[in-house]
Amino acid sequence: MRPSATPHPTLTSLGLAQAPRDHPLTYPGPWPATSALLHGDRLLPLDRLAHPDRTPVLAVGSNACPGQLRHKMDEFGITSPIPMTRARVTGLDVGVSAHVSRMGYVSASPLHAPGVTRELFVIWLDDEQLDVVDASEGAHSPRGNYARVRLPAPEFGVELENGRALPGTYVYVNRHGVLHDGTGTPRRHGDQRTLISDFLKASPELGRLFGTTPEEFSERARADPELCERGTRLLRREKLVTASGLEHLHARAETLPRRSGGPER
């Protein structure tokens, strides 16, 4: 995975530099068009798609955004490259996490969706990188927003571009559940402004806490972690939350030692 001496486009020139942590209403941020190696502010060609010496983590939200990954790693001075490979995933869809993020956006979370196929990214993390991403997701604490769970095959299929099926891939599942569409069916994640606007209209109390526009929501959430917790409790109290279908995997989640800090999303 050594970077080539040949100049390559920067994340900025590719339109991939913007991080949702700095620009919440762009969540989940731009994703690459192809598999690539994230190295500093550049995307380089990969010499192989699978990296068995690293932990494969399926990204369903901003962890597939190079600018967001770089932001997380820069916080701890980590400069090692991260392979990002496109994958065809069966049995999963992308829903809306049932919590108000301290980052000022409405996060994504996977859903159990038999028969559904999605094109997502697998990021391959070394131990140091995995610590940082785990901490950012709250995976180290039972009270954190996300648990890192292993997707069992063949219930869930993760196939790389070359047709290779991965025997085991991890994903972050929201511990609070996911939001539904008003009928009890899990809502699919989509445009951030539309999601926030819909929730503020659907819940007068949420609007009282977070304002009437996506901009107000984002600003207030970023300024007040306690307000985010109140908002999360309100979502459940107003019966806007349903199961992701992946709760049975939580019991198998690892007990993860915490070696890195950083804000949880």
Side-chain angles (χ1 to χ4, degrees):
M1 294 186 300
R2 293 181 180 177
S4 168
T6 304
H8 292 278
T10 65
L11 296 186
T12 299
S13 68
L14 292 169
L16 300 173
Q18 202 170 68
R21 284 186 166 203
D22 293 329
H23 305 276
L25 296 181
T26 68
Y27 183 94
W31 293 9
T34 61
S35 298
L37 180 69
L38 175 61
H39 193 278
D41 68 345
R42 298 182 183 275
L43 280 185
L44 309 177
L46 277 173
D47 59 359
R48 53 194 169 93
L49 295 180
H51 302 266
D53 56 329
R54 290 167 169 256
T55 300
V57 177
L58 187 64
V60 302
S62 63
N63 284 331
C65 171
Q68 186 88 321
L69 280 177
R70 186 178 64 173
H71 190 295
K72 291 184 180 185
M73 298 305 151
D74 283 352
E75 187 174 1
F76 296 96
I78 296 174
T79 59
S80 52
I82 301 177
M84 305 178 66
T85 56
R86 289 179 65 88
R88 185 172 182 268
V89 182
T90 57
L92 283 182
D93 206 345
V94 181
V96 184
S97 298
H99 82 287
V100 178
S101 171
R102 298 179 183 183
M103 298 294 123
Y105 44 66
V106 179
S107 304
S109 186
L111 304 168
H112 188 201
V116 171
T117 299
R118 290 291 302 262
E119 295 288 331
L120 299 171
F121 271 87
V122 174
I123 57 175
W124 300 81
L125 305 174
D126 64 25
D127 290 345
E128 190 176 39
Q129 295 163 348
L130 184 63
D131 278 348
V132 170
V133 178
D134 273 349
S136 76
E137 306 295 343
H140 299 284
S141 168
R143 298 182 61 187
N145 290 321
Y146 289 87
R148 173 159 57 87
V149 304
R150 187 178 178 90
L151 295 174
E155 183 180 4
F156 304 96
V158 181
E159 184 178 285
L160 301 181
E161 290 177 304
N162 60 4
R164 175 176 177 177
L166 299 183
T169 309
Y170 290 92
V171 70
Y172 293 102
V173 176
N174 197 280
R175 289 188 172 103
H176 303 282
V178 294
L179 300 181
H180 63 72
D181 61 4
T183 70
T185 301
R187 178 166 182 163
R188 269 52 180 177
H189 204 280
D191 174 73
Q192 190 69 193
R193 291 178 184 275
T194 301
L195 284 173
I196 294 174
S197 295
D198 287 351
F199 297 143
L200 293 177
K201 291 175 184 176
S203 170
E205 180 62 16
L206 200 65
R208 188 185 69 79
L209 292 178
F210 290 95
T212 60
T213 67
E215 289 78 11
E216 286 181 307
F217 176 96
S218 181
E219 182 177 356
R220 293 186 188 185
R222 288 169 67 87
D224 191 343
E226 172 57 30
L227 185 65
C228 293
E229 294 179 7
R230 290 174 62 191
T232 299
R233 293 194 295 269
L234 178 64
L235 294 173
R236 184 163 293 280
R237 190 163 67 247
E238 295 199 350
K239 303 186 185 307
L240 299 175
V241 180
T242 190
S244 69
L246 301 173
E247 286 75 15
H248 64 291
L249 300 179
H250 288 196
R252 307 177 194 174
E254 301 174 34
T255 302
L256 304 168
R258 181 168 186 164
R259 297 200 295 266
S260 301
E264 179 184 331
R265 71 181 179 94

